[in-house]
C-alpha cells in the first residue's frame, strides 16, 4: 500500500460532498487503519476541513489519528495546528477538547507542548482560550491548567 497515495485520497475527498467522495474517503481510512508510521499524523491532520459536508464520517479520521500511541499522537498532532487553523480550526478545537477530557492525555500533552516552539505554544494557547469561551463550565479548569503550564516556559 502506498501511504502517501491513501492520504492524498483522503485529502481529495475530504469535503464529502458526493457519494463518490464519501466512498473514497471511507476506503482510504480503512486502508490506513493498520498503519503505524507516526510520521503520517501531521499529514492526516492536514486532511481536516471545516467545510466538510459530513462531520460524522470525518470523525473516522479523528479516531484513526487517536489510535496511534499516545506519545506519537501528542508529539505529532500539535505540529499540524498552525496550518490546521487556516481551514480546520473547528477540527483543531475538537482534537484539543478530546485531549482536555482525559487527565492522562492532558498531563502528557502539557509536557510535550513545553518542548515545542513558540508558534505551536501560541496556537494552542489561543485555541484553548476559544474552547474556554465556548464552554467555560466544562473546559475552563483543564484548559487553564495547560495554559498556565505553557506560560511558565
Amino acid at each position: 500500500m502506498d501511504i502517501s497515495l491513501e492520504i492524498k485520497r483522503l485529502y481529495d475527498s475530504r469535503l464529502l460532498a458526493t457519494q463518490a467522495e464519501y466512498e473514497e474517503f471511507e476506503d482510504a481510512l480503512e486502508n490506513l487503519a493498520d498503519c503505524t508510521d507516526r510520521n503520517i499524523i501531521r499529514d492526516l491532520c492536514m486532511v481536516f476541513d471545516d467545510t466538510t459536508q459530513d462531520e460524522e464520517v470525518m470523525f473516522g479520521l479523528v479516531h484513526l489519528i487517536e489510535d496511534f500511541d499516545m506519545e506519537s499522537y501528542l508529539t505529532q498532532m500539535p505540529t499540524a495546528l498552525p496550518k490546521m487553523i487556516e481551514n480546520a480550526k473547528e477540527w483543531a478545537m475538537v482534537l484539543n477538547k478530546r485531549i482536555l477530557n482525559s487527565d492522562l492525555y492532558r498531563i502528557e500533552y502539557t509536557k510535550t507542548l513545553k518542548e515545542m516552539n513558540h508558534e505551536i505554544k501560541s496556537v494552542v494557547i489561543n485555541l484553548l482560550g476559544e474552547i474556554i469561551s465556548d464552554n467555560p463550565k466544562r473546559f475552563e479548569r483543564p484548559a487553564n491548567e495547560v495554559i498556565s503550564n505553557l506560560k511558565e516556559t
Side-chain angles (χ1 to χ4, degrees):
M1 170 184 64
D2 183 342
I3 293 172
S4 61
L5 178 61
E6 296 302 321
I7 293 171
K8 182 178 179 344
R9 288 177 63 205
L10 285 174
Y11 186 84
D12 290 345
S13 60
R14 73 192 181 286
L15 299 182
L16 301 164
T18 66
Q19 182 66 26
E21 285 181 346
Y22 168 83
E23 290 171 7
E24 191 77 5
F25 193 89
E26 286 284 307
D27 187 54
L29 271 182
E30 186 176 321
N31 289 343
L32 290 168
D34 295 327
C35 182
T36 58
D37 180 0
R38 68 182 272 170
N39 295 317
I40 72 166
I41 295 172
R42 187 178 194 289
D43 292 333
L44 291 173
C45 288
M46 295 295 95
V47 171
F48 288 108
D49 193 301
D50 287 339
T51 62
T52 187
Q53 300 296 307
D54 193 333
E55 290 181 11
E56 188 174 320
V57 173
M58 190 62 77
F59 260 96
L61 182 57
V62 171
H63 296 138
L64 177 66
I65 293 169
E66 289 178 340
D67 281 345
F68 282 87
D69 67 275
M70 181 176 63
E71 180 187 355
S72 296
Y73 171 53
L74 297 178
T75 302
Q76 297 296 312
M77 183 276 293
T79 66
L81 292 175
K83 283 282 196 195
M84 280 183 76
I85 59 172
E86 296 171 17
N87 296 317
K89 187 176 190 177
E90 293 299 317
W91 288 105
M93 290 173 65
V94 165
L95 292 171
N96 277 272
K97 285 177 184 178
R98 293 170 69 86
I99 290 168
L100 293 175
N101 284 329
S102 165
D103 290 339
L104 175 61
Y105 273 63
R106 184 178 63 255
I107 291 165
E108 293 303 316
Y109 190 48
T110 303
K111 290 177 189 174
T112 301
L113 289 170
K114 283 182 174 187
E115 305 302 317
M116 299 270 171
N117 67 41
H118 176 73
E119 179 188 19
I120 293 170
K121 289 178 189 176
S122 179
V123 167
V124 171
I125 288 169
N126 289 335
L127 281 173
L128 295 179
E130 286 191 48
I131 289 169
I132 292 169
S133 294
D134 288 349
N135 192 344
K137 186 176 182 180
R138 182 166 181 193
F139 292 110
E140 188 169 30
R141 185 197 56 75
N144 277 332
E145 178 185 308
V146 176
I147 291 169
S148 65
N149 279 302
L150 290 182
K151 287 185 175 179
E152 292 173 3
T153 60

